[in-house]
Amino acid sequence: MTLLPNRPEALPMPRPLLGWDWSRPLVMGIVNVTDDSFSGDGLKGEAGAAIAQARAMIAAGADLIDLGAESTRPGAAPVSVAQEIDRLLPVVQALADCGVPLSVDTRHAATMAACLAAGAQIINDISALEDDPAALAVVAESQAAVVLMHKQGQPASMQQAPRYDDVVAEVLAYLQTRAAACIAAGIAPERIILDPGIGFGKTQPHNITLMQALPRFRADGYALLLGVSRKSLIGHLTGETQPSLRIPGSVAAALWGAVQGANILRVHDVDKTVQALRVWQGLAAMA
Ligand code: 7PJ
């Protein structure tokens, strides 16, 4: 029988981090910084669009902004580290004083170092600081928070044959091992955020099982991040094949995540998610 607390406040509060308020779920807006090669000065074109999108998300209630320049979708064009830095750095610099912490979604130590120096406060690494051997030291030498995400295999092939004996136990053990590696490298436990990596080397039954076991990822006192926005999890449950039309389902999944104890919800549709969360929080406060 799965634990369904319906009261995430019954879970142990995560350790204090960057003055954040863990008494409610935080909303992390996803900003994809795409190719800027036609703009010239780095602040018009795609970088300008990314900056405007981030500001609109903050106005809509985003607590954090996650900036990424490398697509991990199978078949996506590879991005060099230099290109990744070229795309991200002007955006991080322009948003450094935007009022909310900036997260950078990258697997590359050089990108991490450049963006942290420019004011980013969170490193979000889908490889849990494993893909680049220098990443652990870069994060350890900073004061940044780090999101450790689980994936099985590498993005290009990970959906071909995902396999687990016990998906929850294996994902949790992996994240605990990576957290221990971070702590051994000098990263304080309060800076570590765990993420089961929905859709990353997981079948639909694996994803559902993880979504039903979210409270277990809170047991060690780490904060929990959940990314389900527009993913195939929603497509499988609804039949909706177009990611851009999966917004209502994404909001429902985010709300489920919040009720199951996720501390940070990584979403594309900040305004809709914030509205749904405010209704839930208002009703919970009245109960
Ligand atoms: C995730 C991510 C996620 C974290 C992506 C997408 C694919 N980082 N980056 N967790 N997903 N921490 O957004 O559909 O679930 S890229």
Side-chain angles (χ1 to χ4, degrees):
M1 171 75 188
T2 313
L3 176 64
L4 294 173
N6 285 328
R7 286 195 315 120
E9 65 273 20
L11 295 165
M13 194 68 97
R15 301 172 185 89
L17 174 63
L18 298 172
W20 299 348
D21 174 12
W22 287 135
S23 67
R24 64 177 181 87
L26 304 181
V27 173
M28 171 184 266
I30 303 168
V31 174
N32 188 16
V33 186
T34 50
D35 195 346
D36 197 34
S37 53
F38 298 107
S39 90
D41 68 3
L43 287 178
K44 300 196 184 77
E46 302 296 341
I51 294 162
Q53 190 189 7
R55 292 199 191 285
M57 286 177 169
I58 295 163
D63 301 289
L64 313 163
I65 295 292
D66 189 40
L67 302 166
E70 183 197 36
S71 175
T72 48
R73 264 175 304 136
V79 179
S80 73
V81 178
Q83 275 176 318
E84 190 187 38
I85 294 174
D86 281 350
R87 290 185 192 180
L88 287 170
L89 208 51
V91 180
V92 173
Q93 287 165 343
L95 292 172
D97 61 356
C98 70
V100 307
L102 299 178
S103 160
V104 178
D105 186 343
T106 181
R107 300 180 292 148
H108 304 118
T111 307
M112 294 174 191
C115 292
L116 290 172
Q121 290 181 273
I122 308 159
I123 296 300
N124 174 25
D125 185 351
I126 64 153
S127 82
L129 304 180
E130 273 204 301
D131 279 1
D132 188 328
L136 207 50
V138 167
V139 175
E141 283 159 23
S142 75
Q143 292 304 309
V146 61
V147 181
L148 304 175
M149 197 197 79
H150 173 275
K151 63 177 165 56
Q152 185 178 85
Q154 288 299 328
S157 56
M158 65 191 178
Q159 287 307 109
Q160 283 166 15
R163 214 195 150 269
Y164 303 84
D165 290 323
D166 180 338
V167 66
V168 175
E170 288 169 45
V171 171
L172 187 56
Y174 171 81
L175 293 175
Q176 287 167 333
T177 303
R178 295 307 301 155
C182 287
I183 293 166
I187 300 171
E190 62 267 25
R191 293 165 57 196
I192 298 171
I193 300 163
L194 306 184
D195 178 352
I198 297 298
F200 282 83
K202 280 122 189 156
T203 63
Q204 180 71 349
H206 295 143
N207 288 327
I208 298 286
T209 302
L210 288 166
M211 289 293 285
Q212 292 177 337
L214 294 177
R216 286 180 57 185
F217 292 85
R218 288 277 306 274
D220 297 327
Y222 297 112
L224 174 63
L225 183 147
L226 181 69
V228 282
S229 186
R230 302 188 182 185
K231 284 187 178 173
S232 68
L233 168 85
I234 315 293
H236 281 294
L237 290 171
T238 61
E240 181 52 68
T241 54
Q242 269 196 60
S244 66
L245 295 179
R246 294 175 182 160
I247 298 172
S250 299
V251 171
L255 208 52
W256 168 275
V259 174
Q260 296 296 313
N263 300 107
I264 301 175
L265 301 163
R266 182 181 177 278
V267 305
H268 299 89
D269 304 289
V270 169
D271 50 353
K272 282 125 186 130
T273 309
V274 165
Q275 187 181 87
L277 287 170
R278 284 187 183 156
V279 170
W280 167 56
Q281 284 151 16
L283 293 170
M286 283 181 257

